[in-house]
Amino acid sequence: MSRFNSGNRYISSGINRTLPQYLILMLWQYIDFLKDKCELDYLQVFRLYKEGEHGQGIEHTQEQPKPFKRRYTLFAEGAPLVNAKVYVIDDDDHETMILAEEY
């Protein structure tokens, strides 16, 4: 089954409060890029961390069907940097981005 194709995407109130808009959009873009390249699990995990003074680190992982770990660094001078763990869950009819502590 193909994942992350419902077109119905939601963010939790915690995501809305914690993550800047550019970062929310970037996480959705990573998923959109990968869904055409490999089979994605219903659960995508992003660990966000500050990297230096202006770097937003992103570690993207999944455990099934084929485990992977990818790391990205965004140069984000002037933008807020975030330390958080984010889950993106595909429930077949919608996709939800939530903070790990909201799960």
Side-chain angles (χ1 to χ4, degrees):
M1 164 182 262
S2 182
R3 294 280 181 191
F4 294 97
N5 287 313
S6 76
N8 299 313
R9 290 185 167 172
Y10 302 95
I11 61 170
S12 69
S13 59
I15 291 289
N16 192 46
R17 262 191 329 273
T18 307
L19 270 61
Q21 188 70 26
Y22 84 91
L23 203 46
I24 295 169
L25 294 173
M26 187 63 64
L27 298 182
W28 287 122
Q29 286 177 346
Y30 286 141
I31 290 172
D32 287 340
F33 175 77
L34 284 175
K35 72 182 182 186
D36 296 328
K37 309 277 186 262
C38 63
E39 188 176 355
L40 294 180
D41 188 16
Y42 78 96
L43 175 63
Q44 299 296 300
V45 179
F46 293 92
R47 187 176 66 83
L48 309 174
Y49 54 94
K50 297 174 185 175
E51 195 167 282
E53 286 188 38
H54 305 293
Q56 178 63 63
I58 302 171
E59 181 181 275
H60 180 193
T61 60
Q62 79 171 15
E63 292 185 8
Q64 298 290 331
K66 183 178 179 186
F68 71 73
K69 181 188 291 187
R70 290 182 170 81
R71 287 195 172 128
Y72 312 96
T73 302
L74 303 174
F75 182 71
E77 185 174 2
L81 302 177
V82 178
N83 287 314
K85 188 172 188 180
V86 174
Y87 295 149
V88 183
I89 303 165
D90 182 345
D91 289 328
D92 294 329
D93 64 331
H94 64 281
E95 300 147 21
T96 307
M97 183 180 295
I98 65 172
L99 293 174
E101 58 263 24
E102 295 179 293
Y103 188 70

